[in-house]
């Protein structure tokens, strides 16, 4: 794909790896925009994409997937997490998120509360980075602890 700088490595179970070992934030954003093209969003028309980086440097992409029943809809971020976790991944470093209506300039698309809580299940709030972009090189980044302060997580249960 011309829009994607990463060379796909076969046999990676749905993940993408970049040819250089270290992904740049802009690489993740590009992969989020690529995933956004696969958005299934006939109800809201709002198209989102995410690129989730594992500790090993693999990237799992996700898009939003809506449903006629509305509540079964899944955000791009959770699609990426569930793809990755279902392939055995448990250690994550960063996620890039993009969202806009087609043909309209996007704004930064911050993850919804449900997605933040899913991140909290698998990521260290002190180190996991959330990159929200409104253009290929126009982004802000936050730690999970900033977007989900005083959170409840697996360590709160016996
Ligand atoms: N959505 C995402 O996929 N990620 C976000 O961060 C915000 C919202 C989706 C859900 C729904 O399909 C559409 O965008 C409008 O809310």
């Amino acid at each position: 794909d011309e829009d994607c700088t990463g060379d796909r490595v076969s046999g990676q179970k749905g993940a993408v790896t970049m040819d250089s070992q270290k992904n740049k934030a802009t690489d993740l954003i590009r992969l989020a925009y690529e995933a956004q093209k696969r958005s299934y969003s006939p109800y809201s028309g709002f198209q989102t994409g995410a690129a989730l980086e594992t500790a090993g440097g693999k990237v799992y992409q996700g898009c939003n997937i809506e449903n006629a029943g509305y509540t079964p809809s899944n955000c791009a971020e959770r699609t990426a997490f569930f793809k990755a976790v279902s392939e055995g991944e448990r250690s994550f470093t960063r996620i890039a998120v993009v969202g806009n209506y087609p043909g309209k300039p996007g704004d930064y698309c911050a993850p919804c509360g449900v997605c933040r809580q899913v991140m909290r299940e698998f990521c260290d709030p002190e180190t996991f980075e959330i990159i929200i972009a409104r253009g290929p090189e126009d982004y802000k980044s936050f730690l999970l602890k900033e977007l989900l302060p005083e959170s409840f997580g697996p360590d709160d249960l016996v």
Side-chain angles (χ1 to χ4, degrees):
D1 191 338
E2 306 235 0
D3 296 332
C4 173
T5 54
D7 283 344
R8 272 160 175 69
V9 176
S10 57
Q12 295 274 349
K13 293 198 237 169
V16 174
T17 55
M18 313 301 287
D19 39 18
S20 65
Q21 263 311 97
K22 189 93 182 73
N23 303 308
K24 292 179 296 211
T26 50
D27 294 326
L28 294 177
I29 292 163
R30 212 167 290 122
L31 290 168
Y33 277 118
E34 185 191 56
Q36 184 190 31
K37 295 180 194 163
R38 300 187 286 267
S39 166
Y40 176 75
S41 44
Y43 305 106
S44 72
F46 191 74
Q47 301 182 331
T48 59
L52 173 64
E53 181 187 61
T54 70
K58 287 191 209 168
V59 180
Y60 287 82
Q61 295 170 296
C63 62
N64 59 334
I65 304 171
E66 297 187 346
N67 188 281
Y70 284 40
T71 53
S73 299
N74 208 51
C75 292
E77 297 91 318
R78 275 177 288 142
T79 300
F81 266 92
F82 296 155
K83 281 175 64 180
V85 172
S86 69
E87 296 301 341
E89 303 288 354
R90 287 289 173 85
S91 186
F92 303 104
T93 43
R94 295 182 291 177
I95 191 169
V97 184
V98 300
N100 60 271
Y101 290 104
K104 294 197 177 163
D107 204 346
Y108 301 112
C109 181
C112 80
V114 172
C115 288
R116 295 178 197 198
Q117 187 64 30
V118 168
M119 294 172 193
R120 176 67 175 88
E121 188 67 25
F122 297 105
C123 306
D124 180 353
E126 300 285 328
T127 58
F128 185 70
E129 200 185 327
I130 298 163
I131 299 162
I132 57 177
R134 62 179 180 188
E137 314 230 351
D138 180 354
Y139 64 91
K140 302 195 276 196
S141 92
F142 300 90
L143 293 173
L144 178 55
K145 69 174 177 185
E146 299 178 283
L147 298 189
L148 195 68
E150 299 296 333
S151 61
F152 186 86
D155 39 315
D156 292 304
L157 295 176
V158 287

